[in-house]
Amino acid sequence: MAQLLDGAGKLVWVLLRSVLRFTFMFINNCVAIPSYCLYLLLLQPLRIWDSSVFWHIEGVMFKWLLAMVSSWGWVAGYTVTEWGDDVRPISEEEAMVIVNHQSTGDVCTLMMCLQDKGTVVRKMMWLMDHVFKYTNFGLVSLIHGDFFIRQGKAHRDKQLIYLKEHLDKYYHSRDRKWIVLFPEGGFLRKRRETSQLFAKKHSLPHLTHVTLPRLGASHVILKTLGAQQENGSVGGDASMLNTTANKRKGLQWVIDVTIAYPKARPMDIQTWIFGYRPPTVTHVHYRMYPIKEVPVEAEALTDWLYQRFVEKEELLAHFYDTGSFPPPEGQKEALSRQMTLDPVWLCLIQSFAFASGYMWYSVLQYIYCCLF
């Protein structure tokens, strides 16, 4: 009987905590996202006068919004341990980031672990499934200039054309540096069986922890943003291009990011919102490749991407067996780094969001009263 009561008490506490977390996050969204939009609306004259300053301010606020999402997991004890190469020294250089995709929590994990990588978060562009456009964060991503890609054979060719046009128009004009994509084209659980059948048919490696990547988006990004596009012919705002064309070197790195969850249990967005899972450490492994080592031709690039995901398979298999990633070649032990967030900084950002929400509510209420 005592055990039953104890179990019931824990269940009630989990439910109560979930309700409180959801309420806070709902209010957090209601004050932060409209405030972000209204601030940018107020700053539209600055966008015409000096677009570089406008997008700098937008990037700072975008980073703050992503920090708020990170804080939801941080408060619940969902932290990140990093392995492999240290990417912070190249945070100001242009890079394409390829990530394995297991669940909706992958995006939240990246939002958290990239917070301490200099200006990366505010200068990055995301490639996401078009479904994310209709989430609470969709409007923010749309304003920031992220690209929403529609999956499926019927849309594939047109989407790649749209991606090329989007990069020409927004990547340089908004001073983007990192572009993040999930080459698998969907969640592991949804694509694994199809990928394995394709691999068997074409005598390719059998993968369990990842799926075979798709070429399209990676190929377009490398051809569009590579050094050969440094001649100023890339589309976008002329004023911005004139100031950046001579400074840009094009993509300089491909960063291969592998996300691993304990016991192969992915963290989804619902877990981040409700916090019903016990404190969990997500492990993120980085491997950097100079762009000169990455082929651009379709066939060679396909082989190169396949090899990267075979390596991801080996990394994840080792992690699930041992609880750590294998050491780099020539070393006996792999070293990890605990990624941390400053709680004071998170509190200041949240306070600013709620203060802004109150300010804008008061302003709009005053305008309404004056008009009506």
Side-chain angles (χ1 to χ4, degrees):
M1 185 66 179
Q3 290 182 345
L4 184 62
L5 290 174
D6 184 54
K10 289 182 180 179
L11 178 61
V12 170
W13 167 240
V14 170
L15 292 174
L16 178 61
R17 186 177 62 181
S18 297
V19 170
L20 291 174
R21 283 177 59 87
F22 177 79
T23 303
F24 173 79
M25 291 173 199
F26 178 79
I27 297 173
N28 200 183
N29 276 283
C30 288
V31 298
I33 294 177
S35 295
Y36 166 88
C37 297
L38 289 168
Y39 277 125
L40 294 183
L41 183 64
L42 184 67
L43 291 172
Q44 285 304 303
L46 177 61
R47 182 179 180 180
I48 299 172
W49 180 53
D50 192 337
S51 63
S52 62
V53 174
F54 174 85
W55 289 114
H56 174 86
I57 296 172
E58 184 279 334
V60 171
M61 291 194 292
F62 183 79
K63 180 176 181 177
W64 290 353
L65 287 176
L66 267 60
M68 292 179 198
V69 176
S70 302
S71 70
W72 302 346
W74 186 261
V75 171
Y78 305 146
T79 58
V80 173
T81 293
E82 299 180 319
W83 303 75
D85 297 332
D86 185 359
V87 299
R88 284 174 294 184
I90 64 165
S91 62
E92 294 298 324
E93 300 178 20
E94 293 188 41
M96 180 177 77
V97 183
I98 56 175
V99 193
N100 62 314
H101 207 10
Q102 301 178 64
S103 72
T104 50
D106 298 339
V107 175
C108 299
T109 297
L110 288 174
M111 287 180 178
M112 176 183 286
C113 66
L114 295 179
Q115 283 292 326
D116 67 343
K117 307 298 186 297
T119 62
V120 163
V121 173
R122 64 180 178 86
K123 291 188 176 184
M124 73 193 317
M125 179 181 286
W126 297 76
L127 265 65
M128 296 180 286
D129 191 280
H130 79 287
V131 173
F132 283 96
K133 186 188 297 185
Y134 308 104
T135 64
N136 61 319
F137 215 76
L139 179 59
V140 173
S141 291
L142 200 63
I143 294 172
H144 183 69
D146 296 329
F147 184 76
F148 299 95
I149 192 164
R150 188 181 292 271
Q151 304 293 343
K153 291 183 180 179
H155 308 284
R156 190 169 299 162
D157 293 338
K158 285 186 177 180
Q159 290 298 300
L160 295 179
I161 295 172
Y162 295 153
L163 174 59
K164 172 69 166 59
E165 294 173 349
H166 186 88
L167 294 173
D168 286 343
K169 186 174 182 180
Y170 297 118
Y171 188 83
H172 292 98
S173 66
R174 299 186 182 184
D175 194 27
R176 300 296 177 241
K177 291 294 181 70
W178 284 24
I179 183 164
V180 181
L181 69 153
F182 301 92
E184 291 167 292
F187 298 139
L188 174 64
R189 68 179 186 278
K190 293 182 178 181
R191 290 210 62 243
R192 178 159 40 200
E193 184 177 354
T194 303
S195 175
Q196 290 175 346
L197 289 173
F198 179 86
K200 184 177 181 180
K201 182 178 179 181
H202 294 86
S203 302
L204 295 169
H206 179 88
L207 305 177
T208 302
H209 305 303
V210 294
T211 65
L212 290 171
R214 293 173 176 173
L215 173 69
S218 301
H219 192 214
V220 169
I221 291 168
L222 288 171
K223 294 197 72 173
T224 306
L225 303 180
Q228 67 270 23
Q229 296 295 320
E230 195 185 348
N231 55 12
S233 64
V234 181
D237 295 343
S239 61
M240 188 65 187
L241 285 174
N242 289 337
T243 60
T244 60
N246 294 328
K247 298 179 182 179
R248 287 189 174 275
K249 299 179 181 178
L251 289 175
Q252 295 165 274
W253 300 91
V254 172
I255 303 174
D256 187 5
V257 178
T258 303
I259 299 176
Y261 298 95
K263 300 180 180 179
R265 292 180 57 208
M267 188 93 67
D268 54 29
I269 187 63
Q270 295 94 321
T271 307
W272 276 70
I273 292 174
F274 294 106
Y276 48 76
R277 185 182 292 189
T280 304
V281 179
T282 302
H283 297 259
V284 179
H285 183 278
Y286 303 94
R287 183 171 287 170
M288 304 187 307
Y289 296 91
I291 199 67
K292 63 182 180 181
E293 297 181 7
V294 183
V296 178
E297 295 304 317
E299 185 175 349
L301 179 59
T302 300
D303 293 339
W304 189 87
L305 282 173
Y306 282 175
Q307 185 58 39
R308 300 291 75 74
F309 276 77
V310 169
E311 291 174 359
K312 284 180 181 291
E313 175 77 12
E314 295 169 353
L315 287 172
L316 290 169
H318 189 281
F319 177 84
Y320 296 139
D321 286 341
T322 65
S324 65
F325 285 109
E329 187 176 351
Q331 298 184 17
K332 295 182 178 180
E333 185 179 357
L335 300 178
S336 63
R337 306 175 296 276
Q338 187 68 31
M339 187 268 157
T340 59
L341 294 175
D342 184 354
V344 175
W345 179 62
L346 294 177
C347 288
L348 288 174
I349 291 174
Q350 291 287 7
S351 300
F352 178 75
F354 282 98
S356 296
Y358 178 76
M359 181 196 73
W360 284 114
Y361 173 79
S362 300
V363 169
L364 294 176
Q365 186 182 46
Y366 175 77
I367 294 173
Y368 178 85
C369 291
C370 290
L371 293 176
F372 303 101

